[in-house]
Amino acid sequence: MHTLWKGSISFGLVNVPVKMHAATESQDFKFNYLHKECQNRIRSIKKCPICDVEVDTVDLVKGYEYEKDRFVVLSEEDLASLEQPMSRSIDILDFIDLKEIDPIYYEKSYYLSPEETALKAYRLLCQAMEESGKVALARVTMRSKQHLACLRVFEQGLVMETMHYPKEIRHIDGVGEHIVLTEAEMTMARQLIDNLARPFEPEKYHDELREQMASLIKGKVTGETFKVEAPTKGRKVVDLMEALRASIALTEKEKGQLEGKTVAKTAARTKAKTTDKAEVKTNNDTDSNLEQPSDEKPKSSLTPRKRTTRRAKGA
């Protein structure tokens, strides 16, 4: 993986040198604008609408719009005075429970891999965090911007999530707080959630739109036609209770099929374990019979001699 940043994790007096790699990547298709007549790529031109001239990069300045169509210009010197010094340290501030962080705070994920000289310290931090059930809140500076970050164990390694600051989170107003729900509605809603509850299997989810786009592009390249099947429209249900009943009836069958598959898998695993145990027992019994000595004394192949008494000798 391409290394984006090198530095170290610091907590207490411990310092762990690490390398940072992007943990995710965009799968979006990127398009270019072409001239319809000759199909050559269009060049982006920076043009001032007031002066009606093309502007070079050296003639551009940065401005902040503090009111509608009113800007304050910031020079490179102004911006340089505020830049954070390049930091090579991920400073751990606190260790907290992961469940206390709402996913809305997460921004982007990065893998942190250890340098060769820090394998033991890296493994020590990973195992200690995993056993404690804690994640680390840290501060890191990248590209002249200071980030709040969360470090956690993922797939036997460390992943760092850059986070939004609280002021960057927009809050939602109370929605429908005046609505009163009946116990029957809540019971059916809970039943529907229970019917749709599944273990998390990320591999079963995929981007259907991207797959269709890939097929469309492939068809265009090879000259084939491509048609997207229109999704079937569901029956429009206005009444909430009717919608809940219809949804429960639809999911009950699916839940039963899923449970049947689960029972079959469990039975198959149990049968396999029983068979293995029986084979092991049979083998052990056979070995025992071979190894254990028999109580019956073996018969001698020699013919016993007859005793000769003194009286017989005298005769």
Side-chain angles (χ1 to χ4, degrees):
M1 290 185 288
H2 176 65
T3 301
L4 302 175
W5 179 90
K6 285 187 177 182
S8 62
I9 303 172
S10 300
F11 63 107
L13 299 177
V14 180
N15 187 273
V16 186
V18 292
K19 295 175 288 186
M20 183 184 294
H21 321 275
T24 60
E25 60 181 356
S26 174
Q27 294 292 322
D28 293 341
F29 290 95
K30 297 179 180 179
F31 298 97
N32 296 289
Y33 284 106
L34 310 177
H35 185 202
K36 184 178 180 180
E37 299 298 328
C38 63
Q39 295 192 356
N40 282 303
R41 187 181 297 180
I42 297 299
R43 182 169 61 93
S44 298
I45 299 175
K46 297 180 177 67
K47 186 177 181 180
C48 177
I50 303 300
C51 302
D52 195 27
V53 294
E54 185 176 341
V55 180
D56 293 330
T57 304
V58 294
D59 297 321
L60 299 178
V61 294
K62 293 182 179 179
Y64 176 75
E65 187 177 17
Y66 62 94
E67 290 180 3
K68 178 65 175 176
D69 295 330
R70 294 178 65 87
F71 298 86
V72 58
V73 176
L74 298 175
S75 66
E76 294 299 329
E77 291 75 15
D78 294 330
L79 297 175
S81 66
L82 300 178
E83 285 187 358
Q84 295 285 334
M86 180 59 71
S87 173
R88 292 296 179 186
S89 178
I90 302 171
D91 298 318
I92 293 179
L93 308 175
D94 301 294
F95 287 97
I96 63 173
D97 292 329
L98 179 61
K99 63 183 179 181
E100 295 182 17
I101 306 176
D102 191 278
I104 197 172
Y105 284 95
Y106 294 133
E107 186 178 12
K108 192 172 182 179
S109 302
Y110 297 92
Y111 288 129
L112 300 176
S113 63
E115 298 284 5
E116 291 296 326
T117 57
L119 289 173
K120 187 172 185 179
Y122 182 89
R123 177 49 47 200
L124 176 66
L125 178 58
C126 287
Q127 189 167 335
M129 289 176 61
E130 194 168 21
E131 290 184 1
S132 67
K134 301 290 185 181
V135 299
L137 276 187
R139 184 189 295 118
V140 59
T141 301
M142 297 188 300
R143 300 188 182 96
S144 302
K145 182 181 178 182
Q146 192 177 84
H147 296 269
L148 183 66
C150 171
L151 272 65
R152 59 188 180 88
V153 179
F154 178 73
E155 294 183 351
Q156 304 303 313
L158 287 177
V159 65
M160 184 184 80
E161 319 272 359
T162 53
M163 301 173 62
H164 295 288
Y165 285 101
K167 287 187 177 181
E168 297 176 314
I169 305 298
R170 292 179 176 177
H171 297 280
I172 186 172
D173 297 328
V175 180
E177 293 180 345
H178 61 284
I179 301 297
V180 179
L181 301 172
T182 65
E183 185 58 34
E185 291 170 339
M186 287 300 302
T187 299
M188 297 186 73
R190 285 191 288 264
Q191 183 179 352
L192 179 58
I193 291 175
D194 183 63
N195 288 350
L196 292 174
R198 304 284 187 274
F200 179 51
E201 299 174 356
E203 61 277 359
K204 83 174 188 178
Y205 306 102
H206 51 95
D207 189 343
E208 296 178 357
L209 182 58
R210 185 187 182 279
E211 292 175 355
Q212 292 176 355
M213 180 67 75
S215 299
L216 174 61
I217 293 174
K218 183 179 179 181
K220 287 281 187 178
V221 172
T222 58
E224 300 175 358
T225 58
F226 177 82
K227 181 181 178 181
V228 179
E229 296 293 336
T232 55
K233 294 184 178 180
R235 182 169 58 94
K236 187 176 181 180
V237 182
V238 179
D239 183 71
L240 178 59
M241 292 297 288
E242 184 183 350
L244 288 170
R245 291 192 188 96
S247 301
I248 290 173
L250 188 65
T251 56
E252 281 288 351
K253 183 179 179 181
E254 184 179 348
K255 182 182 178 183
Q257 292 174 347
L258 183 64
E259 289 177 349
K261 292 180 180 178
T262 304
V263 170
K265 289 181 180 179
T266 304
R269 286 196 295 266
T270 303
K271 183 178 180 181
K273 290 181 179 179
T274 304
T275 304
D276 293 341
K277 289 181 179 179
E279 291 178 354
V280 171
K281 186 176 185 304
T282 302
N283 293 335
N284 291 339
D285 292 343
T286 303
D287 295 341
S288 299
N289 292 334
L290 292 174
E291 295 175 359
Q292 292 179 0
S294 174
D295 294 335
E296 184 180 352
K297 294 182 180 180
K299 295 181 180 180
S300 174
S301 60
L302 300 176
T303 303
R305 292 183 300 174
K306 294 181 178 180
R307 289 186 177 180
T308 305
T309 62
R310 291 181 181 178
R311 184 179 301 177
K313 287 181 179 180

